[in-house]
Structures are given as C-alpha cells and as structure tokens.
C-alpha cells in the first residue's frame, strides 16, 4: 500500500482545500461518458456554468487552466493577427508567449509588477493599435496578487475597437462578480483548482456568439481544443472526446450548491478572508506587496532580513501549512496566500500563528494582538459547504 500523504493545509492560489461533499462524490463508481446518467450531469454543468458566467455558451475542457488559455489563443487568432497583451506578471507573460508561438504580432502593454492597469494607458494602447483582433488580460494576476479594473477595461475595448476581449479569470471567476455580458467580456477562462473547489484538471471557457464566429474562421492549427467541434458535440449533450466524468461529477456537486445558496456566498468568503489577511498582515507590522489587492490571493511583503524561501519551507515542514513564495525577482521577498476553496477559520488562525512563530525563528518579532480582527472578519462570511 502507498502510504497516505500527511495532511496539510493548502493555502495556495490553487490547488485549494476540497469540501468533504465533493470528495464523497469522487468516491462514487466511475460511469461511462456516453450514458443518459452522465448526459444529465453534463447538460446541467454546461448550462449552470453559462449562468454563472452570464455568457452565451460555456465549454468544459480536460486540461489545466493554461490549456484553457491556449485554446483562447488557437481559436481566436490566425497567424499574423495583431493582438494586445496586458503584461503585469508571470501569467501576462504566458498570454504573450502563447500568442507568439501561434504566430501573432504581439503588442505588449507592460504594467509594473504589483500595479493594476492604468486605464489611460490602456485606452492609449487601444487607440495606437487599431488593428488588434484580440485583447488579452488577466483579471487577477496571480504572481503579484493584483486585480485589474476589468469592467472599465471592457468598456474601453467596446468603445475603441472591434477586438475580442479575452480574459484569464482563473483566480477571479467565483471570487468576484464578473458578468460577461454586462462587462463586455467576450471570452473568459477559468480553472477547476481555484474557486471551483475541485482538483486540477478542468478548464472552463465562457464565450459569446462573437467569439463562436471568430473561432469558426480562425486559421491557427488545432485539433483537440477546437471550440467549434466541442460546441457541436455539446449541442448533442456530448463532449468532443472522452469526458473526465469523475471531475465533472464533482463540478456538478459544486454548481448545484452554488445555485442553491448563491455564488455571492463564495465571493463574500474570498472577500472576507482576503480582508482579514490584509488587516492582520498590517497589524503584525508587515506590509502588502500589491497596490491593487485581489480577493482571491494576497501577497505579503516580508521584511528584508527574512529569506522568504526558507520561511515558506519552514511553514510547510514544521506546521504543514502550504503557501506560495514569489517568482522571478520576487523570489524570497513575498508570500502568496490563497483565499479560494473550502478554507475554514481554523486554517486562517493556524496560518497566522505559524507565520508569527516562523518569523520569530528567523529573528523577526511580529506584533501580536491581531486575533480579534481575524476572528471577527472570518466569521462574517460562511462557507459554501458548511
Ligand atoms: C493558476 C493560474 C493559471 C493556470 O495554471 P495551470 O497550472 O495551467 O492550471 C493561469 N492563470 C492564472 C492567473 C492562474 O492563477
């Protein structure tokens, strides 16, 4: 027998803690994907996702979030097309790199790490590159824990161009209101291991008719991730290839709970945990990295005397608390704490108590007396699966 992994608390921006009810759904027998039983599940999930996204269509793909992003490149552009990419961290770089790989001419709007897009600059870029076919951005740039003003950006895209507005909402869908129709978002990518409280392995695409039509004529090579073929299969309540039935059954459990209790419960929980994290961080005498913090993930700026990599490893090995460090030039300087998934108040208490002890171990005395703030804000918002 393979030994069972020691339990730990996942406070990362994906993967996230999974509710017991979803884990129990996973333990049910595997079913075949071409059966009436599974078709009912698939039909419900596709419709519920479209309702959640406020979109004309939703697609479920067997891939991680990056596969969802790649499909939003290969289905929306043709070689030589001009695109505009907002680059404010690692994931913005990923949009640009993918678009280059598919032969697009990429215009980059570089935003300093930790800052949100400045709307005046965004507007200037749209005016400067009138031939842009697709505008790509993150909603939340996870590498810097920063939220972009997506509603205002959507309005500007609509005003100044005919481009498709495609957003990576992988750490935003479910964490904040993102009504696609109202906010002029044509394509939205989400991922299962974030606010959907599932393991890694599914990507979700919300898209409107305009995007469906572009996908029909795009000349980038594609076979597995063809939105046109997928939508044709979906119209017959099928997926183009075999469906990952177990994961999609878990998705059904999540979406039914969301439709029963309201998605705002999930959003309020992310908001509360992120607010608690920001306030406690400041109360401990630490600071925040991002100038426009996200409800899904917080970047805690560490004192310069602390080696963040060592502190992160210590939290994992000594306390079983898993958070993420910084990437590239932020390596060792920040800790990124996720607020998605089935996070309990006790997890938050354990994290801050462990952080305080860990900082002390590395000779930094954090201020005490934050417990009241933490308790008060966390208890304000209940969990989707109580
Ligand atoms: C997690 C994440 C992704 C997807 O990563 P995968 O590892 O491919 O699932 C993409 N964009 C953002 C903003 C993310 O947070």
């Amino acid at each position: 027998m393979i030994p069972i992994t020691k339990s730990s608390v996942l406070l990362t921006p994906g993967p996230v803690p999974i509710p017991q009810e979803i884990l129990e759904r996973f333990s049910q027998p595997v079913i075949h994907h071409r059966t009436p039983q599974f078709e009912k599940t698939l039909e419900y999930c596709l419709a519920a996702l479209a309702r959640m996204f406020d979109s004309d269509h939703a697609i479920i793909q067997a891939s991680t979030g990056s596969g969802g992003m790649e499909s939003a490149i290969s289905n929306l552009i043709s070689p030589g097309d001009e695109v505009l990419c907002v680059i404010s961290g690692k994931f913005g770089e990923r949009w640009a790199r993918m678009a280059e790989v598919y032969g697009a001419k990429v215009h980059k709007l570089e935003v300093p790490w930790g800052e949100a897009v400045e709307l005046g600059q965004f507007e200037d870029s749209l005016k400067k590159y009138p031939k842009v076919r697709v505008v790509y951005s993150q909603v939340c740039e996870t590498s810097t824990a920063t939220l972009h003003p997506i509603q205002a950006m959507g309005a500007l895209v609509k005003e100044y161009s005919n481009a498709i507005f495609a957003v990576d909402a992988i750490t935003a869908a479910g964490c904040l209101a993102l009504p696609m129709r109202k906010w002029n978002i044509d394509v939205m990518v989400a991922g299962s291991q974030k606010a959907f409280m599932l393991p890694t392995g599914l990507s979700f695409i919300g898209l409107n008719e305009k995007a469906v039509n572009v996908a029909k004529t795009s000349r980038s090579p594609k076979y597995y991730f063809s939105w046109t073929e997928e939508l044709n299969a979906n119209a017959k309540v099928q997926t183009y290839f075999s469906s990952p039935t177990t994961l999609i059954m878990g998705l059904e459990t999540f979406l039914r709970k969301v439709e029963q209790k309201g998605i705002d419960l999930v959003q309020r929980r992310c908001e509360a945990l992120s607010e608690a994290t920001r306030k406690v961080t400041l109360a401990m005498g630490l600071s925040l990295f991002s100038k426009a913090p996200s409800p899904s993930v917080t970047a805690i700026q560490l004192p310069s005397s602390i080696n963040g990599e060592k502190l992160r490893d210590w939290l994992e090995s000594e306390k079983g608390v898993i958070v993420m460090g910084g990437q590239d030039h932020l390596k060792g300087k920040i800790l990124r704490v996720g607020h998605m998934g089935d996070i309990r108040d006790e997890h938050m208490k354990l994290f801050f108590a462990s952080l305080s002890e860990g900082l002390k171990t590395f000779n930094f005395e954090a201020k005490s007396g934050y417990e009241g703030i933490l308790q008060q804000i966390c208890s304000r918002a209940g969990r989707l699966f109580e």
Side-chain angles (χ1 to χ4, degrees):
M1 266 245 313
I2 299 167
I4 290 172
T5 318
K6 203 174 83 188
S7 81
S8 50
V9 178
L10 268 180
L11 291 176
T12 67
V16 301
I18 298 173
Q20 190 60 30
E21 214 171 305
I22 292 183
L23 290 174
E24 280 163 17
R25 188 77 196 266
F26 290 150
S27 66
Q28 289 178 6
V30 169
I31 57 174
H32 194 276
H33 52 284
R34 313 267 185 230
T35 55
Q37 186 190 359
F38 181 68
E39 284 169 15
K40 259 174 66 185
T41 292
L42 181 65
E43 188 168 35
Y44 173 75
C45 287
L46 291 172
L49 278 174
R51 287 192 286 272
M52 178 178 161
F53 295 161
D54 182 32
S55 62
D56 297 343
H57 303 278
I59 289 175
I60 301 171
Q61 295 182 157
S63 78
T64 73
S66 302
M69 291 170 72
E70 182 156 340
S71 75
I73 299 279
S74 63
N75 285 275
L76 294 175
I77 65 170
S78 297
D81 278 359
E82 289 185 36
V83 303
L84 175 66
C85 293
V86 171
I87 304 180
S88 61
K90 285 302 266 185
F91 291 101
E93 287 172 359
R94 189 170 297 178
W95 269 140
R97 185 70 198 118
M98 282 180 175
E100 280 165 4
V101 164
Y102 279 86
K105 180 162 191 282
V106 180
H107 302 293
K108 300 176 181 177
L109 173 55
E110 306 261 4
V111 178
W113 285 37
E115 291 179 23
V117 171
E118 207 272 304
L119 290 171
Q121 281 178 4
F122 185 65
E123 184 180 322
D124 290 345
S125 297
L126 292 169
K127 287 181 184 159
K128 191 168 163 193
Y129 308 115
K131 284 196 271 178
V132 154
R133 306 290 286 263
V134 190
V135 176
Y136 292 101
S137 180
Q138 270 58 46
V139 178
C140 166
E141 169 57 65
T142 313
S143 62
T144 66
T146 298
L147 188 67
H148 291 302
I150 288 299
Q151 182 176 14
M153 289 164 75
L156 289 171
V157 173
K158 187 171 181 181
E159 189 173 348
Y160 293 105
S161 94
N162 290 319
I164 290 264
F165 188 34
V167 299
D168 164 1
I170 298 177
T171 44
C175 311
L176 58 143
L178 272 175
M180 289 182 64
R181 288 191 183 98
K182 256 192 229 137
W183 289 14
N184 193 44
I185 300 167
D186 300 297
V187 172
M188 185 159 103
V189 183
S192 56
Q193 79 273 33
K194 314 268 176 153
F196 292 82
M197 308 184 185
L198 299 167
T200 310
L202 296 178
S203 63
F204 312 120
I205 314 290
L207 67 167
N208 62 12
E209 293 301 343
K210 182 177 174 187
V212 170
N213 287 327
V214 171
K216 278 183 192 151
T217 55
S218 103
R219 285 176 288 102
S220 292
K222 55 192 153 299
Y223 184 82
Y224 185 79
F225 291 124
S226 164
W227 290 350
T228 306
E229 298 291 356
E230 193 65 45
L231 287 168
N232 285 342
N234 289 171
K236 290 174 260 165
V237 202
Q238 305 280 326
T239 48
Y240 187 25
F241 298 101
S242 302
S243 317
T245 51
T246 302
L247 279 171
I248 295 176
M249 289 190 321
L251 174 66
E252 182 185 21
T253 301
F254 172 79
L255 289 170
R256 286 200 187 274
K257 189 68 95 183
V258 160
E259 297 213 312
Q260 180 199 337
K261 291 193 159 180
I263 189 68
D264 40 320
L265 183 61
V266 183
Q267 293 165 4
R268 282 206 309 274
R269 182 82 183 153
C270 287
E271 267 164 35
L273 298 188
S274 63
E275 185 190 338
T277 302
R278 291 192 297 272
K279 292 205 166 141
V280 172
T281 297
L282 298 176
M284 285 173 82
L286 303 169
S287 55
L288 299 164
F289 174 74
S290 176
K291 296 197 174 84
S294 166
S296 55
V297 51
T298 298
I300 298 175
Q301 175 89 55
L302 296 168
S304 55
S305 63
I306 297 283
N307 177 332
E309 303 259 290
K310 284 193 181 151
L311 175 62
R312 200 216 67 83
D313 292 349
W314 184 93
L315 289 167
E316 182 172 326
S317 59
E318 299 301 312
K319 300 292 172 182
V321 174
I322 305 183
V323 294
M324 282 290 116
Q327 296 157 289
D328 288 0
H329 63 275
L330 296 179
K331 220 181 180 100
K333 298 193 172 129
I334 59 170
L335 288 181
R336 289 176 302 142
V337 187
H339 310 304
M340 299 166 288
D342 191 32
I343 298 172
R344 294 158 190 268
D345 295 2
E346 305 90 85
H347 294 153
M348 298 293 285
K349 283 186 202 154
L350 174 67
F351 168 65
F352 280 109
S354 305
L355 177 62
S356 186
E357 196 183 324
L359 287 166
K360 197 170 178 169
T361 306
F362 294 100
N363 301 312
F364 180 87
E365 196 72 43
K367 287 190 201 138
S368 56
Y370 61 79
E371 289 83 357
I373 314 173
L374 184 61
Q375 180 57 36
Q376 191 214 334
I377 305 175
C378 286
S379 62
R380 206 175 63 199
R383 289 159 41 233
L384 182 66
F385 292 88
E386 292 288 356

